Amino acid sequence: MAGSAGRPAVGIVSDDVLQRHRLQEAVSRFGLNASFSGDPERLEGYPQVPEAEIWLVTLEDEADHPDLFEFLLEHTNVPVLFGVAPAPKPGTTDYFRWERRLQDKLEQNLGTLEQLDSADSLEQLAATEASEAPELPRWVSPAAADQPAQDIWILGASLGGPAAVKAFLDHLPAGLPVGFIYAQHIDGNFTDVLTRVLGRHAHYQLKHASEGITVNNGDVVLLPVEHEWYIASDGRLARKDTPWPGLYGPSIDQVLLNVGDHYGARCNAILFSGMGSDGAIAAPLLKAHGSRIWVQDSASCANSSMPDSVAATGCTSFIGTPEQLARELVKTIEESCLLKRKQQRDSA
């Protein structure tokens, strides 16, 4: 049975109402619907078992419900996952690790869950006009485009990300002393289309990552989906021969860790629209080392699961639309420039 928009339906059985609630929230983040959520007695009382493509069962004590296993096997021929681990407290690192394990189990049985932008949606995005970029604030000196950026912002996104990132870049003035590393969950066959769409931007042009380059002022470096990338000790991009860890590439969590390992507090991040919770494990770690973590607000997202998951950790210091995020970045850079000028005056 498929739920809304043809997505698989999930049956949830637990004798703990809190665990039922947390399982429902988790499958919803994967774009799935629960066709049933209740305790064993309620399910066994149904005249006909609700249709579902998979059943998730977690019980406080399986001995209290000795007939449930046989009941499900007799009344359904779809996969039944017994003994699903109880969900930890939401917003914690343990919770998002639990959620990743659950997603992995679901995908082993149902196939790929995360929805990605299509080639058609990217082509439609290419037809949209860019808004007029604002002027560089008077207190910010134009940055040399051929010089390595001192401050790096990671842009992480999945479904709906290209449109959000485009709107964000459209509202940035030219000459900001910052470089961007873009981690976008996308079908590897569409990266050329994405590069063409965002490569039309006058000030911040998308470029593919290549070994040995530095991220310069004004760069938006798109990380490939096939292999893991990191920043070497000399500040240059380097590729590993192994794939990204996790379910989708690039792994935004791993990008945050790899880039943050080199740049420290000069590595910041913005999490845009997307399904799942990629980024929610590493973002609090970056925050603890002084990085800024911002997210797109739910109302402006095509799917808000990813930024909402990061926000739930309590590590975010700003939430806004792509346009508001751009204005906040300009304001942040301007305030930093003013502070440096003041310090220079005071030390003179």
Side-chain angles (χ1 to χ4, degrees):
M1 176 188 175
S4 63
R7 303 286 279 171
V10 178
I12 296 171
V13 184
S14 177
D15 49 7
D16 184 317
V17 65
L18 180 59
Q19 290 303 315
R20 292 200 299 269
H21 176 69
R22 289 179 178 174
L23 277 168
Q24 277 187 269
E25 286 190 329
V27 299
S28 175
R29 259 199 285 276
F30 308 146
L32 307 175
N33 292 319
S35 60
F36 174 86
S37 181
D39 58 34
E41 289 77 13
R42 182 181 170 213
L43 177 65
E44 292 170 1
Y46 267 56
Q48 184 175 349
V49 172
E51 291 186 46
E53 290 195 23
I54 191 168
W55 286 87
L56 306 178
V57 181
T58 177
L59 303 172
E60 289 189 334
D61 189 344
E62 294 183 9
D64 292 338
H65 309 281
D67 300 327
L68 179 62
F69 182 76
E70 288 188 8
F71 176 84
L72 277 171
L73 292 184
E74 287 178 8
H75 291 83
T76 183
N77 58 2
V78 301
V80 179
L81 301 185
F82 269 90
V84 175
K89 180 181 178 182
T92 62
T93 298
D94 285 342
Y95 175 84
F96 290 111
R97 287 181 175 147
W98 168 86
E99 188 177 76
R100 300 282 173 83
R101 291 193 295 271
L102 175 63
Q103 184 177 2
D104 185 45
K105 290 178 181 178
L106 288 169
E107 295 207 331
Q108 288 173 12
N109 289 277
L110 301 176
T112 300
L113 297 180
E114 183 163 1
Q115 293 174 301
L116 304 174
D117 289 270
S118 65
D120 288 343
S121 68
L122 293 174
E123 291 291 356
Q124 291 172 8
L125 184 60
T128 61
E129 293 294 326
S131 57
E132 186 174 349
E135 296 291 327
L136 189 70
R138 60 175 296 198
W139 299 113
V140 180
S141 299
D146 60 348
Q147 293 298 309
Q150 294 301 303
D151 292 304
I152 298 293
W153 284 77
I154 297 169
L155 310 178
S158 184
L159 180 66
V165 170
K166 181 180 184 300
F168 170 77
L169 296 175
D170 283 349
H171 286 79
L172 293 180
L176 290 174
V178 65
F180 300 99
I181 293 177
Y182 183 15
Q184 170 73 50
H185 291 178
I186 193 169
D187 186 316
N189 296 317
F190 301 155
T191 53
D192 287 341
V193 182
L194 179 62
T195 304
R196 177 164 52 81
V197 171
L198 294 185
R200 296 168 58 244
H201 197 282
H203 303 313
Y204 296 90
Q205 294 193 0
L206 196 67
K207 61 171 67 174
H208 285 284
S210 59
E211 286 202 86
I213 68 168
T214 58
V215 182
N216 292 339
N217 295 315
D219 282 351
V220 184
V221 178
L222 177 67
L223 295 180
V225 302
E226 297 86 3
H227 295 92
E228 183 178 345
W229 288 70
Y230 66 102
I231 308 294
S233 58
D234 61 359
R236 298 180 183 275
L237 276 170
R239 193 193 87 162
K240 294 186 177 182
D241 292 330
T242 52
W244 293 101
L247 301 170
Y248 300 98
S251 164
I252 295 171
D253 274 312
Q254 197 63 47
V255 173
L256 294 174
L257 295 174
N258 289 357
V259 178
D261 186 55
H262 178 79
Y263 286 97
R266 294 186 292 116
C267 168
N268 307 288
I270 305 176
L271 281 300
F272 291 94
S273 176
M275 293 182 66
S277 59
D278 201 3
I281 293 175
L285 301 177
L286 261 68
K287 172 68 174 179
H289 287 89
S291 299
R292 292 182 175 88
I293 307 295
W294 298 351
V295 298
Q296 184 178 352
D297 77 308
S298 301
S300 66
C301 290
N303 189 298
S304 67
S305 293
M306 183 183 293
D308 286 351
S309 296
V310 174
T313 67
C315 71
T316 57
S317 57
F318 187 80
I319 299 174
T321 65
E323 296 81 2
Q324 291 169 339
L325 289 161
R327 288 196 293 269
E328 185 68 13
L329 177 58
V330 175
K331 176 185 171 184
T332 299
I333 292 173
E334 184 178 20
E335 290 174 347
S336 176
C337 291
L338 285 168
L339 179 61
K340 288 178 182 177
R341 286 172 181 261
K342 181 180 183 301
Q343 292 171 341
Q344 289 171 352
R345 287 198 308 268
D346 291 346
S347 61

